[in-house]
């Protein structure tokens, strides 16, 4: 596959007449079948491209979504979601049965969709499993390509620190580097990620930053919802510490639960609302029980429909993101802090670089050492004792989110990239 990439990058393209202003985006996964951070960001980016007057078609990887995709190999089915046209693609193989065979098949399927859709540019998103076949297919037609790097699996493999994962990490680096080197443009989500990429390869153009952002119209300051308070048996005067997101080990939710227990032991009245689900859910719930934090103190809602999130945000006073430091969290920023800032919530984050960058290193939110339970407990206690002390940060965060981290502002980056590619 790497040999073919080198060959198509040098050879003349297949005769092809693209449609001016049309973009084909190739995705690993998407809404509405997936609702995680990858799919949410992808959908938001696509909407910004459409808002810049480009015509967009989003093609998901072969076989996605696995549980519901019964299409014949290479066949496509259209699904329009929230104004974005998604194409599902049938597959004859599964990645689990052999990554090379799966990716090899994807090249021809992607090429056929390109031939039919006739885009003027191809937009790839992480990771190489979809991006490398997509790049080869695009270059068969001589099309310009932008690669949007929102995550790197090799950073996750590095954190595992095992011989097996080191082999996987090394192979992934080679394949990702090939995509990065051959794409016409590269954009990524944080300064830390840009530094990693710049330290590994020489890209054709300077790497652009297209950070995570938020639809600020969907998250605004609101009075505490009385129905939610009644449901939990809480008063509007109770300070509430909240977390909304995925329950995985690197989010440091055990640190948050232990900090809440310390604050309670000091005689400070505090409630906690933890919204979401994931691999660590059972362990975190068990830890809360072991620390004698009952349902009157800490509420676990599990996964909730998206339309309920704003009501839950309304009762939260402080959103905490005590992420642990790993190679991946150093460089990858979550979406949720932007929602909290737009909703004018006080924010406490750990000092992992991607989060500290969001918090303005203390200007827009409190920053505490990663993994430090006592420091987090002290930050929570400070808010409870003097809630007005963080008001300046809250206002600064809301203003910054509106001007610098709304999707309309961030979308200008991709618009400029696509204009260059199509000029």
């Amino acid at each position: 596959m790497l040999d073919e990439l080198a060959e198509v990058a040098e050879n003349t393209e297949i005769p092809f007449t693209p449609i001016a202003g049309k973009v084909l985006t190739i995705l690993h996964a998407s809404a509405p079948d997936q609702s995680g951070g990858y799919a949410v960001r992808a959908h938001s980016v696509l909407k910004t491209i459409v808002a810049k007057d480009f015509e967009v078609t989003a093609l998901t990887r072969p076989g996605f979504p696995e549980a519901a995709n019964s299409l014949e190999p290479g066949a496509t089915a259209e699904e329009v979601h929230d104004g974005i046209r998604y194409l599902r693609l049938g597959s004859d193989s599964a990645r689990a049965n052999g990554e090379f065979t799966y990716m090899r098949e994807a090249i021809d399927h992607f090429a056929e969709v390109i031939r039919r859709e006739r885009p003027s540019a191809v937009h790839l998103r992480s990771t190489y499993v979809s991006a490398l076949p997509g790049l080869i297919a695009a270059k068969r037609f001589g099309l310009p390509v932008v690669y949007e790097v929102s995550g790197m699996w090799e950073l996750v493999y590095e954190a595992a620190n095992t011989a097996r994962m080191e082999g996987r990490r090394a192979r992934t680096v080679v394949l990702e580097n090939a995509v990065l080197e051959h794409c016409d443009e590269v954009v990524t989500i944080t300064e830390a990620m840009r530094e990693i990429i710049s330290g590994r390869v020489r890209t054709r153009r300077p790497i652009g930053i297209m950070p995570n952002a938020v639809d600020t119209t969907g998250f605004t300051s609101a009075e505490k919802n009385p129905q939610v308070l009644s449901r939990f048996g809480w008063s509007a005067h109770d300070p509430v510490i909240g977390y909304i997101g995925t329950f995985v080990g690197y989010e440091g939710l055990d640190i948050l639960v232990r900090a809440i227990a310390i604050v309670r032991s000091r005689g400070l009245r505090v409630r906690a609302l933890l919204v979401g689900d994931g691999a660590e859910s059972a362990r975190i719930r068990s830890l809360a029980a072991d620390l004698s934090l009952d349902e009157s103190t800490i509420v676990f809602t599990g996964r909730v429909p998206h339309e309920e999130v704003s009501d839950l945000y309304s009762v939260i006073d402080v959103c905490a993101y005590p992420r642990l430091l790993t190679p991946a969290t150093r460089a990858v920023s979550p979406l949720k802090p932007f929602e909290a800032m737009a909703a004018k919530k006080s924010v406490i984050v750990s000092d992992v670089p991607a989060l500290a960058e969001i918090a303005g290193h203390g200007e827009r939110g409190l920053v505490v050492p990663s993994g430090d339970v006592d420091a987090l407990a002290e930050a929570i206690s400070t808010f409870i004792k003097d809630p007005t002390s963080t008001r300046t940060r809250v206002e600064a965060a809301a203003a910054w989110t509106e001007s610098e981290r709304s999707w309309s502002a961030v979308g200008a980056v991709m618009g400029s990239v696509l204009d260059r590619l199509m000029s």
Side-chain angles (χ1 to χ4, degrees), residues 35-305:
S35 58
Y38 179 97
V40 170
R41 175 181 167 94
H43 188 72
S44 298
V45 170
L46 293 174
K47 290 177 71 174
T48 69
I49 296 173
V50 170
K52 297 295 180 181
D53 294 326
F54 294 99
E55 180 184 351
V56 176
T57 296
L59 176 65
T60 47
R61 72 178 188 271
F64 176 85
E66 284 78 2
N69 191 323
S70 58
L71 294 167
E72 292 295 317
T76 58
E78 181 176 324
E79 180 176 7
V80 177
H81 171 66
D82 190 26
I84 300 299
R85 178 178 178 243
Y86 288 99
L87 290 181
R88 304 307 186 209
L89 180 61
S91 177
D92 193 38
S93 60
R95 184 184 173 214
N97 297 328
E99 192 169 82
F100 173 75
T101 301
Y102 177 75
M103 293 169 67
R104 176 70 263 172
E105 179 193 357
I107 296 173
D108 293 333
H109 293 334
F110 290 164
E112 175 57 26
V113 173
I114 289 172
R115 185 195 63 77
R116 189 177 71 237
E117 294 290 325
R118 297 166 51 206
S120 291
V122 173
H123 166 213
L124 306 174
R125 296 199 74 242
S126 303
T127 65
Y128 72 88
V129 173
S130 296
L132 180 55
L135 176 59
I136 293 171
K139 289 305 178 182
R140 284 182 179 178
F141 296 89
L143 288 173
V145 179
V146 54
Y147 188 29
E148 180 193 342
V149 183
S150 57
M152 287 182 164
W153 284 346
E154 56 265 45
L155 301 179
V156 178
Y157 301 152
E158 180 183 341
N161 196 28
T162 65
R164 177 172 177 269
M165 287 301 182
E166 171 54 26
R168 184 174 290 182
R169 185 204 66 80
R171 184 187 67 171
T172 299
V173 167
V174 170
L175 297 174
E176 285 288 348
N177 284 358
V179 179
L180 292 163
E181 288 172 342
H182 285 85
C183 283
D184 302 279
E185 296 263 3
V186 175
V187 297
T188 192
I189 61 174
T190 63
E191 293 288 350
M193 188 74 84
R194 176 158 64 182
E195 290 175 6
I196 291 172
I197 296 171
S198 298
R200 281 176 27 179
V201 299
R202 183 173 182 177
T203 55
R204 296 186 177 187
R205 284 186 54 85
I207 301 165
I209 296 292
M210 188 175 180
N212 271 332
V214 64
D215 177 4
T216 53
T217 62
F219 296 92
T220 56
S221 179
E223 295 294 322
K224 293 192 175 188
N225 186 299
Q227 292 179 325
V228 175
L229 291 173
S230 177
R231 170 183 164 192
F232 300 147
W234 293 346
S235 161
H237 302 293
D238 291 335
V240 179
I241 312 302
Y243 170 85
I244 299 178
T246 307
F247 284 46
V248 290
Y250 59 74
E251 295 294 3
L253 297 182
D254 56 332
I255 304 297
L256 177 57
V257 170
R258 293 182 188 280
I260 290 167
I262 290 174
V263 172
R264 294 282 294 190
S265 72
R266 295 173 178 171
L268 297 175
R269 187 180 180 87
V270 64
R271 312 291 189 182
L273 178 61
L274 276 64
V275 181
D277 201 359
E280 289 284 289
S281 182
R283 188 177 75 88
I284 299 303
R285 289 172 184 254
S286 178
L287 174 62
D290 291 343
L291 295 172
S292 300
L293 299 174
D294 60 24
E295 292 183 357
S296 68
T297 298
I298 186 167
V299 171
F300 295 92
T301 67
R303 194 183 302 270
V304 301

